[in-house]
Amino acid sequence: MTAPVLMVLGTASSVGKSVLVTALCRIARQDGIRVAPFKAQNMSNNADVTADGREIGRAQSEQAAAAGLAPRWEMNPVLLKPQGDRTSQVVVEGRPAGLLRSSDFVTRKRDLWPHVERGLETLRAEYELVVAEGAGSPAETNLRAGDIVNMRVARHAAAPVLIVGDIDRGGVFAHLYGTLALLEPEDRMLVRGFVINRFRGDPSLLAPAIEDLEARTGVPVLGVIPWLDGLDVAQEDAVVLERPEGAPAAVDAAVDIAVIRLPRIANFDDFDPLAAEPGVRLRYVARPEDLGRPQLIVLPGTKATIADLDMLRRSGLADAVVARHAEGIPVLGICGGFQMLGERIADPLGVEASAGSEVAGLGLLPVATTFAADKTTRRVEGRVASRRGAWAGAVDASVTGYEIHMGETRATAPHVEPLLDLEGRPDGAVSADGSVAGCYLHGLFHNDALRHVLLAALGRAETPFVSFDRERGYDRLAQHVRSHLDMERVWALVWPERAPHEVAARG
């Protein structure tokens, strides 16, 4: 039997679609429903790796975890990874499939529909429910002809649609009404509910506007979800780093960590466990004057190492990082950030830049990187190998995580100590004095033992450490959404033939 699909669309990007789908996946699992998440096409540099080495959006991996599943490519058949203002790498069924330029978006994306259909129908055959997420807004009429992720999915699956609006941005009723009005009549018929997200205040104050919206559209508001502080769920879009909640307020924290805010920052959820630790202030820094004197500077991953390194130089941040290191502040690079810390970066095949390009790195580690056509995507486990600097106390501590990178980084001097040993293979490098380190492992700080040793070495000793557990975050999020979203009416949209109380008995 083919499973029904519940579609979650939004009035815009970053209104909370991904988080709501995560919550619905956990709620369904709690209610005994075998559920899987789905997003036909994702545009994000936050990615994860499946057990068989395929690449999907990080948000879909998070939603899978909330559903109690391992991630798989069918949950995100098409992933677009921006590496320039008008160019994205295309990942199809978890494998790199060339570049997509903005001028080709409509025509090329239409060709990707068979992969979308294959992924969705595979999930519908194996699970009882698929919760599908849209992208951006379905009301972008200029993109309608090439749509493979919003209403085309809903029409294909005859899915009831929920439209989410973010009231914290203002104008939510106009956004909801306008989104519905701009849909084609056949698509409008599939919209079965509105959800107002991120509300701060007394919900009773919204009653007149809700009644007016429902009267004008005939679509019910199924929930007003209040703002939730300390959301322990990985975010999809880097825009969250620009919001107030992206900058913790603990200005008097024992450990101040500055993450360089690269234009094409990737996998920034690597640092969520640091932000969750009491006594730690995590900041994203885009200007040299904001760098200050942290206890640690981190260069994160990026989809465009050479271009973002050029930005670091032009902004003055490169000089600021090198100067702070000379003053004794340790520096860590992950993935693209690790590549930047080396002596040079070469791109003979034009993987990122023009063919034959070679640029100087920051020169803080005795390594050099050469980009190659093949992409490394794998889940790995191993241990801390370095006995230098802040890492010494964590030597032999177990680590798990994943790699996503193009290119290979090799030592340019003898006896360079690796930071990690991953299944018998050295990864990363540590400077002779231990003050600079880098590696390719995403999820490094999700390993509690390593994180706690590092923070203690940086000066955080008195406040108890915490264990970073996404499961608690999923349950907290599910309870929050369940308390403010009419789940009986939501499940009735999915299974109209069943009484609401029967849904929880499906498992």
Side-chain angles (χ1 to χ4, degrees):
M1 184 171 128
T2 301
V5 175
L6 174 64
M7 191 93 201
V8 177
L9 302 181
T11 58
S13 297
S14 302
V15 298
K17 298 186 296 292
S18 296
V19 173
L20 181 58
V21 170
T22 303
L24 290 171
C25 284
R26 177 48 62 103
I27 289 170
R29 181 187 180 195
Q30 291 172 340
D31 287 353
I33 301 165
R34 292 187 298 107
V35 60
F38 178 79
K39 186 165 184 173
Q41 172 242 299
N42 201 343
M43 179 175 279
S44 177
N45 281 332
N46 251 21
D48 198 4
V49 177
T50 65
D52 59 350
R54 301 186 188 229
E55 190 176 0
I56 69 169
R58 189 74 183 86
Q60 282 61 64
S61 177
E62 191 87 342
Q63 293 157 359
L69 306 175
R72 48 192 287 189
W73 74 260
E74 289 91 346
M75 297 170 180
N76 179 207
V78 180
L79 174 62
L80 304 180
K81 304 191 74 175
Q83 62 182 47
D85 292 339
R86 299 181 181 180
T87 306
S88 295
Q89 182 189 55
V90 185
V91 179
V92 179
E93 295 190 5
R95 305 294 190 196
L99 296 179
L100 178 66
R101 291 173 175 81
S102 58
S103 57
D104 301 327
F105 261 36
V106 172
T107 54
R108 176 77 189 278
K109 285 172 64 178
R110 280 196 295 241
D111 296 337
L112 297 172
W113 175 254
H115 303 280
V116 171
E117 188 174 14
R118 179 184 170 195
L120 177 59
E121 293 311 314
T122 297
L123 295 177
R124 295 182 76 187
E126 296 181 19
Y127 295 94
E128 292 182 292
L129 171 66
V130 174
V131 183
E133 178 187 344
S137 164
E140 306 292 348
T141 54
N142 57 310
L143 301 178
R144 186 171 290 156
D147 175 36
I148 61 169
V149 63
N150 287 316
M151 293 309 305
R152 185 170 184 183
V153 173
R155 288 195 304 273
H156 172 80
V161 173
L162 302 180
I163 298 181
V164 184
D166 179 2
I167 195 170
D168 192 59
R169 295 178 171 208
V172 70
F173 294 101
H175 294 162
L176 292 169
Y177 181 84
T179 298
L180 184 69
L182 286 171
L183 297 180
E184 296 290 343
E186 63 176 317
D187 293 341
R188 218 175 292 149
M189 296 295 294
L190 293 173
V191 178
R192 308 297 300 280
F194 293 133
V195 179
I196 296 173
N197 195 25
R198 297 180 179 140
F199 181 65
R200 309 177 193 245
D202 182 355
S204 66
L205 299 176
L206 297 181
I210 289 175
E211 292 173 3
D212 180 60
L213 179 68
E214 292 180 337
R216 289 173 182 271
T217 64
V219 176
V221 175
L222 298 182
V224 177
I225 302 176
W227 185 278
L228 181 62
D229 285 320
L231 185 61
D232 290 333
V233 174
Q235 301 291 302
E236 177 176 89
D237 297 320
V239 69
V240 72
L241 305 182
E242 300 168 5
R243 295 187 169 203
E245 69 269 29
V251 294
D252 58 346
V255 174
D256 178 25
I257 298 176
V259 179
I260 303 302
R261 173 73 160 88
L262 300 172
R264 298 166 188 85
I265 188 171
N267 296 76
F268 54 84
D269 62 294
D270 279 346
F271 312 111
D272 288 356
L274 294 172
E277 288 280 1
V280 174
R281 182 189 186 205
L282 186 76
R283 299 181 289 123
Y284 288 88
V285 176
R287 305 184 305 169
E289 55 266 36
D290 296 333
L291 185 55
R293 292 191 55 80
Q295 276 73 46
L296 176 66
I297 297 172
V298 182
L299 273 64
T302 168
K303 188 62 187 72
T305 303
I306 292 176
D308 281 2
L309 179 57
D310 179 62
M311 183 285 302
L312 282 187
R313 289 199 162 99
R314 288 187 288 108
S315 69
L317 267 170
D319 288 341
V321 169
V322 172
R324 292 300 186 278
H325 169 254
E327 295 167 2
I329 293 176
V331 180
L332 170 69
I334 295 177
C335 200
F338 169 41
Q339 295 171 342
M340 291 180 185
L341 290 176
E343 296 173 351
R344 62 183 182 274
I345 303 169
D347 193 357
L349 303 178
V351 172
E352 274 196 9
S354 58
S357 297
E358 183 168 326
V359 300
L362 298 182
L364 297 181
L365 281 175
V367 298
T369 297
T370 301
F371 289 128
D374 294 335
K375 190 172 193 177
T376 298
T377 54
R378 57 190 170 205
R379 300 203 71 86
V380 290
E381 57 185 43
R383 62 179 183 86
V384 177
S386 177
R387 298 178 180 272
R388 296 174 180 171
W391 309 96
V395 67
D396 290 331
S398 297
V399 294
T400 62
Y402 58 98
E403 295 179 56
I404 304 176
H405 60 91
M406 301 187 79
E408 189 172 325
T409 301
R410 294 184 178 276
T412 58
H415 312 302
V416 176
E417 185 172 86
L419 177 59
L420 307 172
D421 180 302
L422 300 179
E423 300 168 358
R425 173 179 51 84
D427 176 57
V430 180
S431 63
D433 64 357
S435 65
V436 183
C439 68
Y440 276 115
L441 187 70
H442 288 293
L444 183 72
F445 294 117
H446 286 68
N447 295 280
D448 288 348
L450 178 148
R451 184 177 73 254
H452 295 164
V453 167
L454 177 63
L455 291 176
L458 294 176
R460 183 191 174 285
E462 296 181 2
T463 308
F465 291 104
V466 299
S467 176
F468 189 74
D469 184 2
R470 289 284 196 206
E471 286 295 311
R472 288 197 299 265
Y474 301 144
D475 287 337
R476 177 172 174 255
L477 173 64
Q479 181 56 45
H480 181 73
V481 171
R482 192 190 287 272
S483 299
H484 300 284
L485 183 64
D486 191 335
M487 288 307 305
E488 286 195 350
R489 293 175 73 182
V490 171
W491 291 151
L493 296 176
V494 178
W495 293 287
E497 74 281 4
R498 297 175 179 268
H501 69 272
E502 291 181 303
V503 174
R506 289 178 64 85

